[in-house]
Each structure stands twice: as structure tokens, then as C-alpha cells.
Amino acid sequence: MSAPPLTGAPQPATDRTVRGENLSLPLFRTLSGVLAGHPYLKVVVDRTAHTWHLLDTAAHPFHVNYIATRILGMDLAALDAGLDAFNASVYTDPQRRFLLGVLSLHTDQDGEGRERTFLVLETTEADTMHGELLAFFYAFVRDRVDGRLPLLLKPANHGQEEELAAISEQRVPRISGHELFGTRARTPLNPGEATGRLRHFATPEEYAAAEHTLGWADIVAMPCLPDDVPRVAGFLNTAPITPLSHTNVLASGWGIPNAIVRDLEDLLAQDRALNGAWVRYRVREDDIVLERLAQAPDLRAPAWHQQRIRLEPPLLQDAPVLALDRLRSADRDRYGTKAANLGELHHVLDSRTADLTAFYGRPRPPRADLRTHLAARLGLPAPTRGELSAEAARFVAATVGAPHGVALPFALQQHFLASSPPLQQGIGKLKMALELDAGDVLDALCLQLQHLIRHTPLPGAVTRQISQAFPAAGGRLVVRSSSNAEDLPGFSAAGVYDSVTAVNSPGELLDAVRQVWASLLSPRSVRLRHQVGISLDDTYMGVIIQEYVPAVLGGVLVTCDPTRREDFRNVYLNCSPGSPEQVVDGSVLPQQYLYNTVEGGGRTLALGSFGRPLPAATRTRLADLSLTGRLLQSHFSGSHFGGADVDKPLDIEWLLTEQGDFRLVQIRPYAL
């Protein structure tokens, strides 16, 4: 369902809306539209008139427009002028006259394998109906729907779930969102369209045997694509996966279609020639199409073959090992993007001088801005802009912390590479192979260089600087990559470079640093950069060293809904017990949530591998974390930070410590 509308819309001339009639299946089909593959129908219950209205979805895309113009006799200009108050009267007033919902039609199989058709009633995710009002709404609709059709209520947010907990399921039969959609055959992950050759692999072993044959025109299908998949035309996952996995972040950054198509094996069984055939593959929010073509198309090389990414010149002069809290965004040309962003995060949290309200200051017609909504989220009655900005900064600083640690500059890597003639010779050979486009020897040269980097002794000066980074460290450390060739427009490099999460001694620390440096020269990373014109001469690796912080919960959030790009309300959050790495590497299926950062409220999309919901108190804290991510977007996507649009979302890795504190361990642009 969509949140309360922000704008009116003209009404088509044809209107089949009915008032007061009981609902049969033929009438439902006459009035319904289709959303996410399911027929649906908008419903308005008028408690004062004790009747209901079944809206023709083609004529009335918004509930509030219909109520205002067709029931109350208002015009759209008057509605737009008082839209906030009107929305409050139908979505949050406990004594409201109108109850707004959607009926959707679904099918499943009963215990004996027979197909069952049933209806689901739900409200918008911002609706705050209390339990008795939800029970009234359900009973009113139940009495007017064909008794042969089962009717279930789907709580639209966590608040409704908690309200319904005190009401028996015999009185209000219900179904959760993750129960309803968790087993659906097809789920869009990244929208796009591609024409290519379908390559299906049933097992990782099949994929590994054929990986060297994959090209830019292939569409790769398998249960779970590996993080090191090469750049191709499209992805298909035949098993569930989170939209925040590394492979989907790559799909988003590369602009290629990606979806979960769990019935692909059935399609292949029906059409044995489909595997290896040329297909047209389209992923949209409400539609996934895979069409076999009669003949091979005349394809041109994709635009990224001509794409050229230019890096800022790296600064290789001697630079000190610095604590993360001493870095700012401008230090990315010496310490890498990740380290510079974490330093900027420290500055935002410590200084509290940044204006974190710019996202809410953008015009959202017909409203001039969303500042009143932000004030409501922060619990301020009628703040000035200065008060709102100050409270936003205080809220963020009180909700999250930045990791402590140090950053190693590019200069240390450069000193190390320059200290070894074999390394210099190997780099020279690799450059020559790239210039000659000698792909047949590229992988071998990269692997030889990586082996040399991992086993070449460090110069004494470099060893001292690294060892002194944590002179008294006796516990576990985490060593992360921080390159200048990642998180770039058109080149995300998500999951391309190494991090080492279990370092327990000085010797292991030196090995981990060399492993991170070596990942800059992996065959995959070299090929990906070369494809977009990033020169080996311009590419360097900084390193972040942090104390390991045990986590009870960790994950990733992006300050958008990845499957609905036009949705500016919601923040999408994944989490699992333990570290965020489990979410991004796909080793577990995380819990998935959407949090509305405009009107408020949250929804559970999937329970993942763990099968049980988080406690209500934890989900409330995740709502605060989501709002924090949205506020930080104002700074990290704003023009004062080098960005151009505060609507551009962020990708944030986070963890919840054993002490109950949130830590943000990475913050970067989310590629759209």
C-alpha cells in the first residue's frame, strides 16, 4: 500500500465506483486494478452514514481525493491547501469518520493441495487505527463481502500488530505481510531491462566451471549469485535474497535488472531450450517478464564499454596515521573514501553544527516542505528552523556513535610497493597486459602480484607506523579497505575489496594490512576498473584499523525503498544477530523492515532465517536508527558535502553493541 498522498490528481471521465453494495467476486474484478501482481480495490467506510464506497481504481487513485470531492464536495485546490489536516482526520484521528483501506485478491493452496482464493484487507502503513477500530473495520467489511470468500486483515505497521495482539484471531482473522508475500514466486530487486543470453546454473560448481565463458551479454541465473560475479547484462536469483546483498548493490550500481524468480526451474522444465536462449528480461515494481526470442538479436556493446570514470588525483606525499575522528571528507584523496566518510561522521556527531534537515526542507507539492512532519517525529510542537536543526543534530548524536580507530594513508602502501623490485616488475607487467588488452594472462599476473604482496616483508618504517597504531591493543581488531576507487558515481565496488574481521596479534595485523592492499590487485577488481577506464596508476588503498566491537544485532539500511525508487518516505533496513557482514555477504537471510520517516510507523517485510520477530522495543529503536539515516542523508548527499541532491540515498552498515548502543561502521552513497 502507499502512504497518504501528497498531491491531488485529475479524475477520468469513466467512473464505475459503487456505494453501499455488497461485494461479489465479479464486482471486485470489475472495479479492481493490479498492484505487485495482485488485483486490488480501494475501500472507504463512512461511519457516520454507515455505508461504504468501492472505488474504481482507474478513476480514483487516491482515497482522500475521492472523499474530499465526491463525499464532502470540496475541490482539489481546497484539499491541497489543507492536506496535512485532512490526512490527519482520516489516518490518525481516533474518532475519525472515514476508514480507508484496500482489498486485495490472493490465491494459495489449502492443506489438501487445492487452490484457495481469499481477500486481504489492509490500511495504509501510516494509519494509526487502534485495536477496536481495526476490529470494527474488519467486521463492517466482512458483513458486506461474499461469505464464500475468506477475508483476512493484514496489519499495516508494527503499531497495528501490537494493537491486535489483545484481540482474538477468531474475532479478527489476520495474516502478516511476511506470511502473505514471503513465499511469492517473483520479487523485483532492481528495476531495469536487458536483452541477453540466459545462463542458468543449478549449483555453484556448475557456475565455477563456466565462469570464464561469461560475457557482457549474458543474464546469469542461479540460486544465489556469488559476490565476485563479473559485469553482465542481468541477474536472476532462484532462491530468496535481500535487496541489500552485495550482488544487488552491484546490480543497482551497474543499472542492470535483478529479481527473485523462484519458479525459473519450472519454466526451464516446460521449455528446455530456454537455458542458453536469447531472452528479453524486464524487471519493474509490479511486473517481471522473461521472454524467449525467436532469433539472436543484433546487440551493440553496452554504454559502460565506452564509460570512463575519472578519479581525483591521489595524494601520495608522506601523511601520518590518523585517528578516524581527525579526518574529514576532503581527506579521501589521502586515506580513501570509507575512512574519510567515517571521519566526517565523527565531525557531524561531535560538532552538532551540521544542518540535518535539508531533506525535509525540499518542496513536496502541494506542500512547501516536510518540516512539520520532521518536527512531529522529533516531538517538537512548533519549532523555529533553528530549533528544528538543533534538535535533529541532538537526536542523531544521541542515537548513534561512530567507530573508533585509525586510518593508514595511501603513502604507506606506496612506500611498501616501491620498496620491492619484484613488486615493481610485476606491476609493470600488469600495466603492459592492460595496455595490450592481453586478457589471457591478466588473471595469472594479478594472482602472482597478490601472492607477492602478502609475502613480501614490510619496510621497517612502514612496520613501525602500523604497529604503533594500536600500541596497547590486546584484543581483537578489524581491518577494512578504504580505496579511492569505490563509492564513485557509476562505480560502487561493493564487496570487491577485502576486509579482515578477526585480527588477534601484531603479526596478524601486518598480514591483514597486506591482504587488504593485495585485494586492490585481485583479477576481478582489476578487470572491473579497467572496463570503466580507471587507471592502475591512479588507484590506491588506504586501510582502516578498528577495535572489534561485539554486536548483538547488525545490518544494513538504505535511506530509500530499493524496489520503489519514487518512494521518498521509507527507509529499508535489514538485520540479523551478529555482524553486518552476514547481511551483505548473503550467508543468512536477514529480517527486513520498512520505516516511514515522514508520517512514522514501521512494517516487517520478512523474518529471514531466524523465523521470529524482534521485540517491540528493539523495533522502536530501529525506527530511531532509520530516522537518523534519513537525517544524515541531508549532510552526506548535500551540496556542502560535494553532492548535488539531498534525495540521493545512503547505504549505512550498522551494529547494536552488547551495551545497547548503535554504531555506524560504514556510510556511503547508495547507487540508484
Side-chain angles (χ1 to χ4, degrees):
M1 288 209 39
S2 63
L6 292 185
T7 182
Q11 306 300 329
T14 302
D15 185 356
R16 296 165 294 183
T17 295
V18 300
R19 174 179 179 272
E21 293 186 23
N22 286 352
L23 181 64
S24 63
L25 194 54
L27 179 59
F28 179 95
R29 296 190 184 281
T30 298
L31 300 174
S32 65
V34 177
L35 181 64
H38 298 282
Y40 79 103
L41 172 65
K42 288 183 169 63
V43 174
V44 173
V45 169
D46 185 342
R47 297 172 71 200
T48 300
H50 200 70
T51 190
W52 71 337
H53 303 249
L54 306 176
L55 277 56
D56 181 349
T57 54
H60 301 290
F62 301 122
H63 290 88
V64 293
N65 288 16
Y66 176 84
I67 295 170
T69 60
R70 300 301 178 91
I71 301 178
L72 301 180
M74 300 170 60
D75 60 35
L76 289 178
L79 171 63
D80 286 349
L83 190 57
D84 286 337
F86 195 95
N87 278 340
S89 74
V90 296
Y91 291 116
T92 63
D93 184 351
Q95 305 301 322
R96 69 192 76 171
R97 171 181 172 181
F98 299 105
L99 306 180
L100 283 57
V102 165
L103 281 167
S104 54
L105 187 66
H106 301 262
T107 59
D108 65 3
Q109 291 185 339
D110 62 19
E112 298 179 3
R114 294 171 299 195
E115 187 175 273
R116 177 185 72 139
T117 300
F118 62 99
L119 288 171
V120 172
L121 175 66
E122 63 179 306
T123 73
T124 181
E125 71 264 20
D127 198 300
T128 61
M129 283 192 202
H130 55 74
E132 286 303 317
L133 202 54
L134 285 166
F136 173 86
F137 190 30
Y138 173 83
F140 192 100
V141 174
R142 173 70 278 177
D143 288 346
R144 289 158 181 80
V145 170
D146 187 331
R148 292 170 295 181
L149 282 173
L151 176 67
L152 304 173
L153 179 70
K154 181 168 84 69
N157 51 53
H158 294 150
Q160 289 187 5
E161 290 178 7
E162 293 162 17
E163 287 288 328
L164 286 169
I167 297 175
S168 73
E169 294 205 30
Q170 287 73 29
R171 182 182 175 194
V172 181
R174 68 204 67 161
I175 189 170
S176 67
H178 58 83
E179 290 173 322
L180 187 62
F181 298 117
T183 58
R184 64 181 176 181
R186 302 184 180 186
T187 303
L189 294 175
N190 193 65
E193 186 166 345
T195 298
R197 185 176 53 163
L198 182 66
R199 306 287 302 278
H200 174 253
F201 306 104
T203 66
E205 290 74 22
E206 285 185 18
Y207 169 85
E211 182 181 8
H212 67 285
T213 69
L214 294 176
W216 59 264
D218 288 324
I219 296 170
V220 181
M222 58 188 299
C224 183
L225 284 90
D227 283 352
D228 61 355
V229 63
R231 192 163 186 171
V232 292
F235 296 157
L236 282 121
N237 302 269
T238 60
I241 192 173
T242 167
L244 300 188
S245 67
H246 273 150
T247 51
N248 197 51
V249 173
L250 288 174
S252 180
W254 291 341
I256 63 174
N258 188 20
I260 300 170
V261 183
R262 298 172 75 170
D263 59 344
L264 181 63
E265 281 83 359
D266 295 336
L267 298 178
L268 292 170
Q270 296 167 16
D271 183 357
R272 296 187 180 278
L274 184 59
N275 189 20
W278 291 96
V279 298
R280 184 173 293 111
Y281 174 38
R282 184 178 69 238
V283 177
R284 294 177 179 168
E285 177 188 333
D286 58 354
D287 188 33
I288 298 172
V289 174
L290 188 66
E291 174 189 1
R292 183 155 70 91
L293 303 179
Q295 58 187 20
D298 182 16
L299 293 180
R300 296 181 179 179
W304 57 265
H305 265 242
Q306 290 77 42
Q307 182 183 23
R308 289 297 176 262
I309 304 293
R310 293 289 178 254
L311 302 184
E312 297 178 7
L315 297 182
L316 302 177
Q317 297 92 335
D318 283 338
V321 175
L322 281 184
L324 289 174
D325 60 13
R326 295 182 59 188
L327 299 181
R328 294 294 302 275
S329 61
D331 291 313
R332 60 183 175 271
D333 56 5
R334 294 188 299 162
Y335 296 88
T337 305
K338 287 180 187 175
N341 283 354
L342 289 177
E344 188 71 19
L345 176 62
H346 273 282
H347 169 74
V348 169
L349 298 180
D350 295 341
S351 69
R352 303 193 189 183
T353 58
D355 181 8
L356 305 181
T357 66
F359 175 88
Y360 291 88
R362 285 286 299 272
R364 310 287 177 181
R367 299 181 178 88
D369 57 58
L370 297 176
R371 289 190 176 94
T372 56
H373 289 78
L374 175 58
R377 303 280 70 75
L378 296 176
L380 298 177
T384 66
R385 289 194 181 182
E387 291 170 338
L388 185 63
S389 178
E391 179 58 21
R394 186 210 65 78
F395 176 85
V396 168
T399 304
V400 301
H404 297 289
V406 300
L408 309 185
F410 299 156
L412 280 187
Q413 183 203 21
Q414 172 65 7
H415 288 327
F416 167 65
L417 295 176
S419 72
S420 169
L423 280 173
Q424 290 298 301
Q425 292 169 7
I427 292 171
K429 291 179 181 178
L430 179 58
K431 290 179 182 177
M432 182 65 70
L434 291 170
E435 289 175 7
L436 298 176
D437 208 17
D440 54 335
V441 300
L442 194 65
D443 287 10
L445 289 173
C446 288
L447 293 172
Q448 289 170 11
L449 268 173
Q450 287 190 287
H451 179 82
L452 272 175
I453 290 172
R454 292 191 186 103
H455 295 90
T456 297
L458 294 169
V462 174
T463 299
R464 283 192 296 274
Q465 290 189 67
I466 296 174
S467 300
Q468 290 169 3
F470 280 94
R476 177 175 168 183
L477 301 177
V478 176
V479 178
R480 302 183 185 276
S481 60
S482 181
S483 172
N484 64 337
E486 60 186 323
D487 302 335
L488 303 170
F491 191 78
S492 74
V496 171
Y497 305 122
D498 285 356
S499 293
V500 184
T501 58
V503 176
N504 297 292
S505 70
E508 289 183 3
L509 175 59
L510 298 179
D511 290 342
V513 170
R514 281 181 292 203
Q515 179 176 335
V516 171
W517 284 342
S519 68
L520 196 67
L521 292 168
S522 70
R524 181 181 183 229
S525 69
V526 170
R527 287 182 182 277
L528 288 175
R529 292 194 304 268
H530 184 62
Q531 287 170 350
V532 296
I534 296 177
S535 169
L536 192 63
D537 286 329
D538 295 334
T539 309
Y540 282 87
M541 179 66 77
V543 179
I544 300 169
I545 305 173
Q546 302 166 243
E547 294 181 359
Y548 171 76
V549 178
V552 296
L553 195 68
V556 181
L557 69 85
V558 292
T559 57
C560 68
D561 180 346
T563 63
R564 296 186 62 219
R565 302 303 172 84
E566 76 282 1
D567 176 9
F568 59 83
R569 288 177 164 86
N570 285 296
V571 163
Y572 188 93
L573 183 147
N574 282 190
C575 62
S576 65
S579 70
E581 282 79 8
Q582 295 182 93
V583 172
V584 297
D585 68 14
S587 59
V588 299
L589 283 176
Q591 297 198 6
Q592 302 175 38
Y593 299 93
L594 273 179
Y595 284 98
N596 186 324
T597 59
V598 177
E599 289 87 7
R603 289 181 285 160
T604 302
L605 302 182
L607 294 180
S609 302
F610 304 94
R612 61 184 184 278
L614 294 170
T618 302
R619 294 184 307 195
T620 298
R621 295 205 61 201
L622 292 180
D624 290 344
L625 177 65
S626 300
L627 180 56
T628 292
R630 175 71 80 207
L631 293 169
L632 288 172
Q633 179 180 331
S634 293
H635 182 77
F636 284 89
S637 298
S639 58
H640 51 281
F641 189 67
D645 185 359
V646 294
D647 276 351
K648 289 186 175 179
L650 298 179
D651 175 331
I652 298 173
E653 289 187 21
W654 58 272
L655 55 85
L656 182 63
T657 71
E658 294 176 339
Q659 291 72 39
D661 303 319
F662 283 119
R663 299 276 183 90
L664 306 188
V665 297
Q666 182 170 300
I667 186 166
R668 61 185 176 185
Y670 179 69
L672 287 178

